[in-house]
Amino acid sequence: MTKQWWKEAVVYQIYPRSFKDSNGDGIGDINGIISKLDYLKELGIDVIWLSPVYQSPNDDNGYDISDYRGIMDEFGTMADWDRLLDEMHKRGLKLIMDLVVNHSSDEHAWFVESRKSKDNPYRDYYIWRDGKDGREPNNWESCFSGSAWKYDDATDQYFLHLFSQKQPDLNWENPKLREEVYSMMKFWLDKGIDGFRMDVINFISKVDGLPDAEAPEGRKYAPGGDYYMNGPKIHDYLQEMHEKALSGYNVMTVGEMPGVNVEEAKLYTAEDRNEVNMVFQFEHVDLDSGPGGKWDLRPMKMSALRDSFTKWQKGLEHEGWNSLYLNNHDQPRMVSRFGNDKEYRVESAKMLATFLHTLKGTPYIYQGEELGMTNVQFDSINDYEDIETLNMYREKVIENGEDHEKVMNSIHVKGRDNARTPIQWDETEHGGFTTGEPWLKVNPNYKEINAKQAMADPHSVFHYYRKLIALRKENPIMVYGSYELIMPDHDKIYAYSRHFEGETMIVMLNFSEGTPVFELPSEYESMADLLIGNYDTEAEGDIREVKLRPYEARVYVLK
Ligand code: NOJ
């Protein structure tokens, strides 16, 4: 396994709309980000993944792009963006941009042309089909509810949109479209960026013929993932993208890949295959979903989480590379989901951080995670902004008469706006995010949870992250060490060892409010030095048996 800068890096994701507003319009912007670079430098991260800042009508907050080479007016100008890159590079920070090329906006010039006529030169940039028996061309469901097809009367055909009706899917079968994408990628690479995060990149190759999927009982539309996730030409496309756009640049790539399994991930990330460096897999964020999908709530069981992470740690041990994340702009806040965001908020946020940073792979921190920010519960559906949430509510409650309270509860647990409330910078109005009216309400807990307070408190979640990130730089075992599970059947403790160049690290994580006892396997010598822990603990000691406190995390290096 080779050493690479992107394996040793810690990535921080910025969702620009919610990060920091500099001009009082209630929307985060590029100058706001620049004003916080020193904060991020202090945290110690190496790379920023910037969610889309391109021109967009914002049907899906920038994931619907109308000009891939222009900056969204609300976020600033290209000159602001150039300054951002410059200010980042001056501080030794790298920038990876979001590449959203499974679909564009319906307001992109290509689509405006494409929908005009069947013989328009841009027609084949998108996926157009005739209807079948007065219905859509197939029964696929959009990831944002309803049919994945929209009828367009200009040409009496339907176009495919796996996401919103304003996000038509691009046709990767068309070599001209592919060349356009590669040329656009080189435009940004030549500006000096350090890589791409690729949005649902394993959706770009659809199965020939776009066959109907099997619909669950009583449902009109069916999740069609089997026909577009990890499709037949996906590896060819990624290898071509590497050859024509990425090769020759020392950049990192991470592919967002819903529905990817370990075997496929090996193919995507094996170094000699030249596809992507790592993937975002979804297994661990699907564990609390039932057969009805993400809104069909199930309890999150630590044992399932442990099984899943262990499978990925072992699966990509020799080939490929893992990305490590517990939340992002699409997922609930990690402390609310995997920890306890009430009486043990600080302890459990630190425990989860310990987990994330002591696994093998590249850790991704989502903005506000370093403050232990939590989910939000707005009472009214009108306070929500996310298109996925709003479409789902309309379909379930308004069209199908499902129970409002039940659906609101699922939104409180799973909705994407949980992660999108503005960053809580201080205790002033709107958490210091904006001097205007924020586009999405600030979480009412901003007076207790905010960056100013966290930076002033040496015991805060923020300072714990700082320490973890610094430790990762000093201890290659945290990056490269192999992973072995300890106490594989315990229902509260998740523990593992890491091994590298003769050194052994032991990680103990208590995922409960109880006080279970960790037991070291007898093959190890038990005298150890504490590397980090989230409670006051002796710097060294015998760790044969350790009674853990609620949500306690300890990391030791054996003597
Ligand atoms: C995944 C992105 O992370 C999400 O925010 C977006 O809605 C979809 N892809 C569609 O682009």
Side-chain angles (χ1 to χ4, degrees):
M1 179 154 292
T2 61
K3 292 200 169 179
Q4 303 282 356
W5 67 264
W6 42 263
K7 293 183 179 173
E8 296 169 19
V10 174
V11 184
Y12 185 94
Q13 181 192 355
I14 291 185
Y15 192 69
R17 207 170 184 77
S18 306
F19 190 65
K20 174 69 186 156
D21 176 22
S22 72
N23 62 359
D25 67 357
I27 296 171
D29 49 41
I30 292 174
N31 284 329
I33 299 173
I34 296 173
S35 74
K36 295 295 180 188
L37 289 178
D38 289 334
Y39 164 85
L40 295 174
K41 191 66 195 166
E42 184 169 344
L43 182 59
I45 55 109
D46 308 283
V47 178
I48 292 174
W49 149 27
L50 191 57
S51 277
V53 291
Y54 313 99
Q55 284 279 5
S56 162
N58 283 307
D59 195 47
D60 186 19
N61 288 349
Y63 282 93
D64 48 320
I65 297 168
S66 52
D67 178 0
Y68 289 101
R69 297 174 197 230
I71 299 295
M72 192 191 297
D73 297 333
E74 292 167 334
F75 290 167
T77 62
M78 189 61 92
D80 295 332
W81 184 90
D82 287 335
R83 201 159 61 86
L84 170 66
L85 184 64
D86 202 43
E87 291 294 329
M88 285 182 58
H89 282 169
K90 261 196 230 159
R91 290 170 175 79
L93 297 170
K94 293 183 191 289
L95 177 62
I96 68 174
M97 294 286 277
D98 221 305
L99 181 75
V100 188
V101 289
N102 173 68
H103 45 267
S104 72
S105 163
D106 67 342
E107 296 183 32
H108 193 289
W110 299 336
F111 192 76
V112 172
E113 283 302 309
S114 183
R115 76 185 335 168
K116 282 184 181 159
S117 66
K118 288 185 179 167
D119 56 7
N120 187 283
Y122 290 90
R123 186 67 170 179
D124 287 341
Y125 275 43
Y126 295 88
I127 303 175
W128 293 95
R129 292 290 184 277
D130 290 328
K132 247 194 342 216
D133 312 322
R135 277 193 55 169
E136 298 90 1
N138 71 23
N139 67 354
W140 295 358
E141 182 170 50
S142 151
C143 300
F144 291 165
S145 307
S147 170
W149 295 92
K150 184 165 162 65
Y151 178 73
D152 203 47
D153 49 15
T155 52
D156 188 28
Q157 280 195 318
Y158 293 78
F159 64 86
L160 179 70
H161 62 89
L162 293 179
F163 293 89
S164 93
Q165 298 188 347
K166 286 182 67 63
Q167 292 169 299
D169 277 55
L170 288 161
N171 176 19
W172 276 73
E173 298 277 335
N174 180 352
K176 275 211 262 170
L177 176 270
R178 301 206 299 275
E179 290 300 331
E180 296 259 23
V181 170
Y182 307 147
S183 136
M184 175 271 283
M185 289 171 72
K186 286 176 82 84
F187 167 83
W188 289 102
L189 290 163
D190 288 337
K191 276 178 158 292
I193 66 163
D194 304 290
F196 290 107
R197 173 268 185 187
M198 303 178 180
D199 193 70
V200 289
I201 199 69
N202 64 330
F203 286 15
I204 60 178
S205 165
K206 280 84 176 167
V207 166
D208 266 354
L210 312 178
D212 273 335
E214 207 178 312
E217 273 277 309
R219 297 257 306 273
K220 190 162 163 202
Y221 302 114
D226 287 351
Y227 300 107
Y228 58 76
M229 289 175 177
N230 312 306
K233 300 199 185 122
I234 182 65
H235 296 288
D236 298 340
Y237 293 156
L238 288 177
Q239 285 171 11
E240 183 183 84
M241 177 190 280
H242 188 275
E243 183 199 322
K244 296 200 170 170
L246 296 162
S247 64
Y249 298 91
N250 180 17
V251 293
M252 67 171 271
T253 51
V254 49
E256 188 207 22
M257 300 202 179
V260 69
N261 64 27
V262 175
E263 288 315 308
E264 283 154 350
K266 275 189 202 171
L267 298 177
Y268 287 121
T269 66
E271 298 192 5
D272 56 354
R273 290 176 53 88
N274 290 323
E275 296 189 14
V276 290
N277 297 143
M278 57 192 124
V279 304
F280 288 133
Q281 54 92 6
F282 279 64
E283 206 177 273
H284 61 294
V285 292
D286 287 337
L287 296 173
D288 52 0
S289 302
K294 104 174 223 183
W295 306 105
D296 180 11
L297 307 181
R298 289 290 181 275
M300 171 66 76
K301 279 176 66 188
M302 184 279 278
S303 54
L305 190 72
R306 177 174 57 201
D307 290 350
S308 170
F309 269 95
T310 300
K311 180 164 78 186
W312 282 87
Q313 288 287 300
K314 298 309 279 180
L316 299 188
E317 187 167 8
H318 303 297
E319 262 171 285
W321 190 250
N322 272 301
S323 68
L324 308 166
Y325 74 97
L326 293 173
N327 51 196
N328 58 39
H329 66 295
D330 294 330
Q331 300 292 334
R333 287 279 175 189
M334 76 183 202
V335 69
S336 303
R337 190 181 201 176
F338 303 100
N340 174 330
D341 65 4
K342 309 247 157 23
E343 53 185 315
Y344 296 111
R345 183 184 67 84
V346 170
E347 290 81 358
S348 63
K350 291 177 181 174
M351 184 278 286
L352 293 166
T354 314
F355 175 45
L356 195 73
H357 290 260
T358 56
L359 289 169
K360 185 170 179 179
T362 301
Y364 288 74
I365 301 171
Y366 176 65
Q367 64 182 32
E369 173 185 328
E370 77 282 11
L371 305 173
M373 277 178 63
T374 67
N375 279 354
V376 74
Q377 283 102 39
F378 296 132
D379 293 333
S380 165
I381 187 67
N382 299 325
D383 286 331
Y384 286 88
E385 294 286 342
D386 170 32
I387 182 165
E388 182 195 38
T389 298
L390 296 177
N391 283 0
M392 179 281 286
Y393 181 88
R394 196 188 53 232
E395 184 181 281
K396 286 196 194 293
V397 178
I398 303 186
E399 291 164 16
N400 293 330
E402 287 186 33
D403 182 50
H404 162 85
E405 290 301 330
K406 185 172 167 230
V407 172
M408 287 306 287
N409 180 50
S410 70
I411 293 172
H412 293 161
V413 176
K414 286 285 190 69
R416 303 198 295 182
D417 283 337
N418 279 311
R420 299 178 181 185
T421 61
I423 292 299
Q424 299 160 203
W425 292 106
D426 59 36
E427 70 296 336
T428 63
E429 203 187 2
H430 307 310
F433 162 70
T434 180
T435 53
E437 268 307 303
W439 71 278
L440 175 68
K441 281 190 185 169
V442 174
N443 192 316
N445 63 19
Y446 68 89
K447 291 206 170 112
E448 299 86 64
I449 306 172
N450 62 65
K452 186 173 156 208
Q453 175 264 87
M455 290 176 84
D457 172 7
H459 300 295
S460 66
V461 178
F462 176 86
H463 286 295
Y464 193 84
Y465 267 82
R466 240 169 49 112
K467 192 165 170 203
L468 271 172
I469 296 168
L471 282 173
R472 215 164 168 279
K473 304 256 167 315
E474 294 152 17
N475 295 279
I477 189 172
M478 288 170 76
V479 179
Y480 294 108
S482 61
Y483 163 102
E484 297 299 334
L485 198 53
I486 299 176
M487 303 176 83
D489 301 317
H490 202 283
D491 63 346
K492 297 193 171 66
I493 297 176
Y494 182 173
Y496 44 92
S497 58
R498 303 282 308 275
H499 306 267
F500 188 66
E501 296 183 341
E503 207 177 38
T504 298
M505 191 173 93
I506 304 284
V507 181
M508 322 169 179
L509 308 166
N510 177 8
F511 271 76
S512 79
E513 291 161 26
T515 55
V517 177
F518 166 86
E519 287 168 30
L520 188 71
S522 57
E523 74 245 36
Y524 296 116
E525 292 294 331
S526 60
M527 289 308 290
D529 292 318
L530 184 77
L531 205 55
I532 189 167
N534 61 350
Y535 281 82
D536 267 348
T537 308
E538 300 282 310
E540 59 180 333
D542 188 314
I543 60 165
R544 181 77 47 217
E545 281 195 356
V546 179
K547 184 168 174 181
L548 296 171
R549 291 159 280 190
Y551 292 102
E552 183 163 8
R554 296 192 197 187
V555 182
Y556 285 97
V557 175
L558 297 188
K559 286 198 189 272

